[in-house]
Amino acid sequence: MKIETIEAIRFTYPTDTCHDSDGHGHPGPWTDTTGAMLVISCDDGTTGRVIAAPADVAEPLLTQFVRPVLTGADPMRHEQLWRALYKWQRGSAGRLTDRLLAAVDLALWDLVGRKTGQPVWKLLGGYREKIRAYGSTMCGDDIEGGLATPEDYGRFAAWLVFERGYKAVKLHTWMPPVPGAPDPKMDYAACAAVREAVGPDVPLMLDPNHWYSRADSLWLGRRLEELKFLWMEECMEEASLSSYRWLSSNLPDLNILGPESMTGKHWTRGEWAAGGACDMIRTGVWDVGGIGPSMKIAHMAESFGMSCEIHGTGAGNLALCGAIANTTYYERGLLHPFVDYEKPRAYQKRIDDEMDEEGCVHLRDEPGLGQALDLDYIEAHRVG
Ligand code: MG
């Protein structure tokens, strides 16, 4: 089996999520947006697919970097192909991103799963058949009845837990350009309102503004210790490992989770674990260049006696959750009172992460990543 073609199909679909000037998603009017599907095909007809951001799999990047490495190669040789692309990153003037590595890696895993007739989560280790999800909110906003006030967060968290069945909730609070943001006292008020609304026993987490000072982060962290939060993530610039080491050592009763957006793949995560900069390690397939480096991070975390909490939604991250033992939750979201998360997008026959009434997402016994893509829709809405 040899790889023959690598193609990114661009298509339009409607969305009711809009993005602010800092890139945070909020509810908005329905508009058309563009997605992409990376398709890797082999000479025996086997294909692997993954949905990606169009810019991450732009045609010039496929021509310059991906096709020269993949064309004619054996798709089973993940580590060799990943390293060939990784080593090209340095000389690519920043064009060959970790997100492109991730898209290729995910499509290859989907392909291998389809070829072998096995779900990817089983090929990677197959630790569990289902996992609890936490409801992960959108960032705060100034929409009336949305996520504009601490009371809004409390009301929404109560709905997530008592009506929808989530066993844990994570808040993303207000960030610029929302007026008044960021403000650690507002973050604390929202966290206190959520704790009050869901009671003392529901695990809660916070992902606040990412550029707080040490002083603001410590003040907020101490309040979260009082509220018995499970973790706080990315409250400061993650490039400053010393700041996180300082924060972790000053917050004995709150787990610090990281790094999430920091570059450096498994090497950075190793430095954070060895350097005592966090209590739990973060990875996500789109953050570190795919499933391969994420598995290295999960195993490294296990050898430090740490959990590896998976960042973000989607079939790739869910497969990772199913594969490994040392993770606690699947992150499901982002959620908002005015957005219907359960409704498949136009290019999906079903969402990747359907959740039962007990708050668990089940790993599917289907070959590949377990995405149910509507290929007819994608073909009919093809652009470019
Ligand atoms: Mg985060």
Side-chain angles (χ1 to χ4, degrees), residues 170 172 207 210 233-234 260 282 311 331:
K170 188 173 88 185
H172 290 92
D207 187 347
H210 310 308
E233 62 188 67
E234 210 180 347
E260 178 175 300
R282 194 74 157 149
H311 167 227
E331 178 168 16

Side-chain angles (χ1 to χ4, degrees), residues 57-136:
V57 292
E59 183 60 25
L61 302 176
L62 301 185
T63 303
Q64 189 173 352
F65 304 114
V66 180
R67 289 191 185 108
V69 169
L70 261 63
T71 307
D74 178 349
M76 307 294 283
R77 298 189 63 187
H78 264 98
E79 183 71 11
Q80 189 212 31
L81 297 174
W82 187 89
R83 291 191 81 85
L85 283 173
Y86 154 62
K87 291 213 162 180
W88 209 343
Q89 282 189 293
R90 188 178 179 283
S92 77
R95 297 176 66 227
L96 210 180
T97 63
D98 284 354
R99 292 182 65 89
L100 175 54
L101 258 64
V104 171
D105 185 72
L106 288 163
L108 283 174
W109 273 109
D110 189 52
L111 189 156
V112 170
R114 289 168 188 279
K115 177 68 182 177
T116 57
Q118 292 294 323
V120 171
W121 64 275
K122 278 191 181 172
L123 292 175
L124 294 170
Y127 178 73
R128 73 184 91 220
E129 293 173 340
K130 62 179 181 178
I131 184 162
R132 288 172 297 176
Y134 66 82
S136 189

Side-chain angles (χ1 to χ4, degrees), residues 322-364:
I324 62 174
N326 58 323
T327 197
T328 319
Y329 295 104
Y330 170 76
E331 178 168 16
R332 198 164 187 268
L334 300 173
L335 310 176
H336 189 282
F338 298 159
V339 172
D340 182 4
Y341 184 80
E342 311 300 330
K343 187 176 151 59
R345 293 188 174 143
Y347 60 81
Q348 294 175 313
K349 290 180 176 165
R350 56 149 206 265
I351 60 174
D352 292 336
D353 53 359
E354 290 174 331
M355 187 179 83
D356 67 20
E357 289 172 2
E358 305 298 309
C360 287
V361 176
H362 296 248
L363 280 300
R364 290 181 179 275

